[in-house]
């Protein structure tokens, strides 16, 4: 599943993870730390929507 930042459109794809942020491929969104922020605009995880 893909989660998209409501502010800037950054996409977090569970199958790809976020290597630059230390999040391994296959990491479910629910397992991404709550302190995660969008790497492009800095908003919190709560500002992402599943697509």
């Amino acid at each position: 599943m893909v989660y998209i930042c409501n502010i800037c459109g950054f996409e977090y794809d569970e199958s790809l993870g976020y290597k630059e942020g230390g999040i391994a491929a296959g990491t479910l969104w629910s397992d991404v730390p709550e302190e995660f922020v969008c790497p492009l605009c800095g908003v919190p995880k709560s500002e992402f929507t599943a697509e």
Side-chain angles (χ1 to χ4, degrees), residues 11-45:
E11 296 184 4
Y12 174 80
D13 185 329
E14 292 176 328
S15 67
L16 301 175
Y18 180 57
K19 182 180 173 184
E20 297 86 347
I23 302 172
T27 301
L28 298 176
W29 184 244
S30 60
D31 295 329
V32 171
E34 287 302 315
E35 59 271 5
F36 176 82
V37 296
C38 178
L40 298 182
C41 69
V43 298
K45 183 179 172 182

